[in-house]
Amino acid sequence: MFVITDVNQDMDVTVAGAGPVGLLLAAELALAGVSVQVLERRTEPDDAMKAQGINIPTAEALDRRGLLPAAAQMQRETLARTGAPGGWVGDRAPGAVSRFTGHFAGMSLDPELVDWSDPDFTAHAAASGVRLVPQPRLEALLAEHVARLGVPVHRGVEVVAVEDTGDGVLVGTAAGPVRTGWLVGCDGGHSAVRRLAGIEFPGAAPELTGYQAVADIAEPSGLADGWVWSAAGVYRCGPQPGRIAVMEFGAVADRTAPVTLAELQASLRRVSGTDVTLTALRAPASRWSDNTRQAATYRSGRILLAGDAAHVHPPFGGQGLNLGAGDAMNLGWKLAAVIAGRSPENLLDSYDAERRPLGTWVMSWTRAQIAVLRGDAKSAALREVVADLLNTRDGTTHAVKKIAGVTQRIDLPGNHELIGRYAPDLWLRDGSRLADHGHDGKFLLLDRSPDGKFARLATAWPERVRSLTECDPPHAHPSDMPHGHPSDTTDSHPSGMSDGLPVGMLVRPDGVVAWACTSVDDQAIADLSTALHRWAGARPV
């Protein structure tokens, strides 16, 4: 347990929770020059089996901060340790991994049915090959990232009280009181910050208990391969040896206690109808439920919520991890801008407005899978209908795009099709990639106008906006990117961009396109000025 002198008493932001969401948020704040610390009630990182991969927006967030090569190395290590799981297919290079599909309600999505030439995929080529990064490995990567940025992470410090004083937050902890400018709860579905702040958490109570584990099985041949349904629930063995997933309907277990071998074995026996014997757990198992809730607000004064503290749902497809990562990227630069006085406090209203609809969608997407997974006759009939739809090129492509996150869009003003979407993976004429220029978390302004009109306008924000013109000197890009040549990404592109690039594009620090145009005229200049004032804040004096 840390004593009071270990915890900083005067920080701009205190983040509760040192999981991937809390660490990513802390890194974004530190990158923007904000003083930030992380408090974590656990004394050691959580190595329980959870999300096994990341979606494309999360991979691209790592890419923009220069972390994708490290993530790619973690993927290689994971594949070497476990072997390629179902849903991954290799490209022409032996052993290479390029595509991930996943499943919908236990129905595997066939990679051969996916239209990989769809512009929503080809616009995000570089990150698409780095998806198999398990949650504990991602957490380790981000822990190294915040350490390099000088962010202190205090373990064994539990938040026990909060008080918003109007000009800051008093945080009661097991190590003593802490005063901070802002408090962000990234402390999970049972968030102490949310509870202590009095933020309601409406939704649906759990009706099932699920488990993920890797175990030694005495006679694995007694269990069927793949997903198997029964009246009691659903289970799957594989694709890696010893990998077990169990969902038992009507059972609501205590999620605060560690999963024991006996508990997992009993649930698997009830669902499978066998007398299977598990002899050992190879790593800590995880337990989850279909508890589905969303915070009434993501912000109450100087207290904010992100990740599972703001929304919980069944974990299909690792959607919770990726949704939380998006929260952190969206909130980080906005909170930093408010703290620095560059933007008014109402900028934080856009955090809830932009992230809530995505959280609502994920809740619906995962709840629909629960309905399809149930063991009753009606759900079985529905499962057949859904399986038929997923066994088509259009159906599989649609589902994989949703899982991958490439269709995500937030509602922003403007008519260009890119506005509100994550910026495409673009190669510039100097041989660099757009993501290569985002390592320091600034806004990126792509200017392809003949006379640099867009870049000249942005000179009023020199510390916040980096302008990229075709005459800029080359910037090196990582040599070990999964896609190593511009031809990998420019042959196909979203419609309206003749060579894959708009004439002008403003990208926020979270990767979202705030403005884009296809021609240079007075309206384009006016729209860019509006976007810069709205998102980059007031011009420096």
Side-chain angles (χ1 to χ4, degrees), residues 200-220:
E200 296 294 327
F201 203 38
E207 299 179 7
L208 66 82
T209 295
Y211 300 91
Q212 287 191 86
V214 178
D216 292 329
I217 307 172
E219 295 184 13

Side-chain angles (χ1 to χ4, degrees), residues 240-272:
Q240 297 92 18
R243 172 78 182 271
I244 297 171
V246 185
M247 285 162 276
E248 184 176 2
F249 290 101
V252 181
D254 176 13
R255 293 192 61 206
T256 62
V259 178
T260 65
L261 182 69
E263 177 188 353
L264 177 63
Q265 176 178 277
S267 182
L268 181 58
R269 285 182 173 183
R270 288 190 295 267
V271 172
S272 67

Side-chain angles (χ1 to χ4, degrees), residues 415-418 448 454 495-498 501-505 515-521 524:
N415 297 321
H416 195 282
E417 64 177 343
L418 283 177
R448 303 176 72 212
F454 302 141
S495 61
M497 298 184 291
S498 60
L501 296 171
V503 174
M505 183 172 70
W515 165 86
C517 71
T518 54
S519 62
V520 184
D521 53 31

Side-chain angles (χ1 to χ4, degrees), residues 302-333:
R302 286 178 169 258
I303 300 172
L304 299 110
L305 305 174
D308 287 354
H311 38 69
V312 294
H313 47 78
F316 300 130
Q319 293 288 345
L321 168 63
N322 293 295
L323 185 60
D327 292 347
M329 295 299 296
N330 187 288
L331 176 59
W333 68 271

